[in-house]
Amino acid sequence: MAGGMVVTNVGGRAAEYNGKVTWYVILVSLIAASGGLLFGYDLGVTGGVESFPDFQKLFFPEVAAQKAAAATVNPYCSYNSQKLAAFTSVLFLSGAFFTFFTGPVSRIGGRKLVMILGGAFFCIGAILCAFAQDLAMLIIGRVCLGAGVGFANQAVPLYLSEIAPAHARGTLNIMFQMATTIGIWVAQWINYGTQNMHPHGWRLSVGLAIVPALILFLGSLIIPDTPNSLVARGKIEQARRTLERVRGTPNVEAEFADIVEAVDASRSINKMAIFQRKYRPVLTGAVLIPFFQQFTGINTIMFYATELFDVLGDGANSALLDTAIVGAVNVGSTILAIVLVDRLGRKVLFAEGGLQMFICFIVVAAVMGSGFDKVTGYIPRKSATTILAFECLYTAGFAWSWGPLGWLVPSEFHNIETRGTGQAITVCVNFIFSFVIGQVYLTMLCHLEYGTYIFFAFWVFCMTVYALGFLPETKGVPIEEMGILWRRHWFWSKVIMTPEERAAFQKGDLHGAGVTTGAIVPANAGALGKGETQIDTTNQNQALPVHKV
């Protein structure tokens, strides 16, 4: 099948892994995943407080003036303010900047220290924003919030991928996205409850961001670092004890050997190795997946759903309630993703979610184009209900596809040689294009109007083609053995291997093909990527069951 394969085991020592999902690894994963609450709470609270009249009058009086002059202003343009957009998007510039510091911090103090710093920065930002007296203080607070999100979003997905057993990695990793959606939903309901607490209701909404920050900060103090990170810092015995505890068995020789071997291999590799030819597919994925995730248009919903529903004539109270309904759909659909990701695999969810989002955006554009009167600002209740329904369906499609998979897949398809740098690139690209979308969406809505959603539908189509054709299926594949996966891919095998390496790979010589572990014994002489392959776990011709590419 073009674009990947169904794999139960790709090679190396994976068949000898004896780890299981223990209550301890679940608890540790839940604590680490709380880092998603930071990102989610900010996404949920920001768009809501921007619609509060008290907040607008204090920091963005020009927006309040446009709202007061609604009869003479195109409703699509009532929130068109670059200052307001900058307030939203400066967090992402900050996050992108601080992402570059996560690698050195992680090498010195591990994933755990990065998460501790993320919680600390977010606490500082929440306090500054809650007590802001002018726009400058507010922006400084947003910069600190961005630093917290930058640290957390880089470290948490990697932590979860490294701490989880391979067969449950998808489920445990999606806890990060689950926490993000819960943070969004909780923030939306807090906004709904504080909107009439004049004049400081917005301060309470913003200030409560300190709660998820403290959860991450205090939780990170008590959880262990990952075995991979401990080995990388020379703490071999501590790493083994940690692995035994999280796997619930002392029989971890095979997995621990893979971790040690991968770390040893990484020491001789330049930290910029991700730019070498053999890592081209992971570099491409590290850039394109977060780029596409933002061009799903989801942040136009998460940032500005309240403003959109207000534009459509719902009024402030109803607009906040409609936004909370979308948030509830987001949470429920992410729970479904947790259930399905390690059963159906990543590519099925990419395909279904992409199709669903594409259809929903086309319908929303059609209804807004035909049913919304720009002169009076009136939209029939039936049309408004249809838009809300399809916004919910769109959000559901995102929440079980590009939402969780946009973080899961980049965190799992790297070898340890490229994992730190690759995840930093992923987070940085995510933040840069979150900034771009946050900065231009209100202007796009003003000038393109309903065509804005056709624009995003086009990108959803492109990203679905990419996911199906150019990403391998990573379900159940140990992260130490992703190099084998890329060398069996129908397209990337031609890009990353020379003819000599391809010949060595087909003969079962993984080292000759540039892979550091395992050995492959071809079951037939067919071309690479077709037919069946048996995989040796010990380099001594002990083949595993045959599986198809």
Side-chain angles (χ1 to χ4, degrees):
M1 173 178 170
M5 54 192 168
V6 177
V7 180
T8 57
N9 190 341
V10 295
R13 305 177 180 90
E16 301 172 34
Y17 289 9
N18 293 302
K20 54 188 176 182
V21 179
T22 63
W23 284 110
Y24 182 69
V25 78
I26 292 174
L27 177 62
V28 167
S29 297
L30 284 171
I31 293 172
S34 67
L37 293 173
L38 279 62
F39 194 32
Y41 190 89
D42 185 81
L43 288 176
V45 80
T46 302
V49 298
E50 286 175 349
S51 70
F52 286 19
D54 296 321
F55 181 81
Q56 292 175 0
K57 291 174 184 177
L58 182 58
F59 298 111
F60 305 101
E62 71 280 5
V63 175
Q66 288 175 184
K67 291 289 293 179
T72 59
V73 175
N74 181 346
Y76 281 111
C77 300
S78 57
Y79 283 93
N80 186 23
S81 164
Q82 287 301 302
K83 284 173 61 180
L84 182 64
F87 161 75
T88 300
S89 55
V90 70
L91 176 143
F92 298 101
L93 274 187
S94 172
F97 174 76
F98 280 95
T99 294
F100 291 107
F101 296 94
T102 58
V105 171
S106 182
R107 286 192 289 274
I108 295 170
R111 313 275 187 227
K112 178 175 175 173
L113 179 60
V114 178
M115 293 190 290
I116 291 171
L117 290 175
F121 272 111
F122 206 81
C123 283
I124 295 169
I127 293 170
L128 288 174
C129 287
F131 291 96
Q133 299 300 311
D134 53 37
L135 186 59
M137 187 174 177
L138 189 70
I139 294 298
I140 292 172
R142 294 287 291 170
V143 170
C144 291
L145 291 173
V149 171
F151 279 111
N153 282 24
Q154 195 275 349
V156 172
L158 288 180
Y159 184 97
L160 293 172
S161 288
E162 292 178 348
I163 208 75
H167 63 276
R169 188 178 59 245
T171 298
L172 293 181
N173 192 287
I174 288 180
M175 287 182 179
F176 173 74
Q177 181 67 14
M178 184 75 239
T180 301
T181 61
I182 291 174
I184 292 170
W185 192 43
V186 169
Q188 289 166 339
W189 281 110
I190 288 174
N191 283 339
Y192 185 70
T194 61
Q195 61 183 316
N196 294 318
M197 295 181 183
H198 303 293
H200 298 308
W202 70 268
R203 294 188 186 275
L204 179 59
S205 289
V206 171
L208 284 174
I210 199 171
V211 175
L214 286 174
I215 292 174
L216 179 64
F217 178 79
L218 297 176
S220 297
L221 292 175
I222 62 174
I223 61 177
D225 212 338
T226 68
N228 309 63
S229 180
L230 290 168
V231 169
R233 289 181 289 127
K235 300 182 178 182
I236 306 300
E237 289 305 315
Q238 185 180 348
R240 185 183 178 88
R241 290 195 300 271
T242 299
L243 186 62
E244 290 175 354
R245 189 174 185 190
V246 296
R247 295 293 180 262
T249 176
N251 187 15
V252 295
E253 286 81 4
E255 184 174 3
F256 191 66
D258 272 349
I259 292 172
V260 171
E261 187 171 337
V263 171
D264 286 343
S266 73
R267 298 188 195 282
S268 63
I269 294 179
N270 189 316
K271 296 304 178 183
M272 305 302 286
I274 194 171
F275 297 102
Q276 296 175 5
R277 172 176 173 169
K278 64 179 179 179
Y279 294 122
R280 201 160 293 168
V282 298
L283 175 61
T284 303
V287 173
L288 285 183
I289 291 176
F291 169 83
F292 282 143
Q293 188 189 52
Q294 292 311 306
F295 275 78
T296 60
I298 187 60
N299 280 345
T300 67
I301 306 300
M302 295 299 110
F303 291 158
Y304 301 121
T306 304
E307 287 82 347
L308 175 63
F309 292 130
D310 194 15
V311 163
L312 294 174
D314 276 1
N317 289 355
S318 295
L320 286 166
L321 180 59
D322 290 346
T323 303
I325 292 171
V326 173
V329 172
N330 195 18
V331 173
S333 300
T334 304
I335 293 173
L336 187 60
I338 292 174
V339 173
L340 295 178
V341 68
D342 282 323
R343 290 177 170 83
L344 299 181
R346 286 59 164 153
K347 301 187 75 165
V348 171
L349 298 183
F350 271 132
E352 196 287 329
L355 177 62
Q356 185 168 323
M357 290 189 291
F358 178 81
I359 292 172
C360 289
F361 267 156
I362 295 298
V363 172
V364 168
V367 173
M368 290 180 69
S370 62
F372 185 44
D373 189 332
K374 293 189 297 181
V375 177
T376 64
Y378 171 76
I379 186 169
R381 172 50 52 184
K382 183 177 180 180
S383 297
T385 302
T386 300
I387 290 173
L388 175 60
F390 277 89
E391 292 277 20
C392 288
L393 285 172
Y394 162 84
T395 301
F398 175 84
W400 59 55
S401 63
W402 280 91
L405 299 182
W407 293 107
L408 167 62
V409 174
S411 72
E412 67 182 359
F413 63 39
H414 293 284
N415 287 325
I416 196 167
E417 294 94 331
T418 63
R419 196 170 302 145
T421 304
Q423 184 69 6
I425 291 172
T426 293
V427 175
C428 184
V429 171
N430 188 291
F431 283 154
I432 287 173
F433 286 99
S434 293
F435 168 79
V436 170
I437 295 297
Q439 194 67 33
V440 305
Y441 170 70
L442 293 175
T443 301
M444 288 177 63
L445 188 64
C446 178
H447 294 283
L448 298 181
E449 301 177 351
Y450 63 86
T452 302
Y453 296 93
I454 296 175
F455 170 84
F456 286 118
F458 166 77
W459 285 108
V460 170
F461 173 80
C462 293
M463 67 187 68
T464 303
V465 172
Y466 168 74
L468 294 182
F470 296 95
L471 289 179
E473 177 57 70
T474 55
K475 182 184 74 170
V477 180
I479 54 178
E480 280 72 38
E481 299 179 1
M482 291 294 173
I484 300 173
L485 198 65
W486 293 112
R487 284 164 176 79
R488 298 183 62 199
H489 190 273
W490 73 275
F491 175 79
W492 293 114
S493 62
K494 302 177 180 66
V495 174
I496 65 177
M497 291 192 292
T498 64
E500 293 78 13
E501 289 173 331
R502 283 176 55 81
F505 189 77
Q506 290 177 310
K507 293 176 181 178
D509 179 7
L510 290 190
H511 291 283
V515 183
T516 58
T517 62
I520 293 182
V521 182
N524 57 48
L528 183 65
K530 299 177 181 179
E532 299 175 333
T533 302
Q534 290 180 320
I535 299 187
D536 186 307
T537 64
T538 64
N539 289 333
Q540 295 177 3
N541 300 319
Q542 297 176 356
L544 293 177
V546 172
H547 56 274
K548 291 184 180 294
V549 175

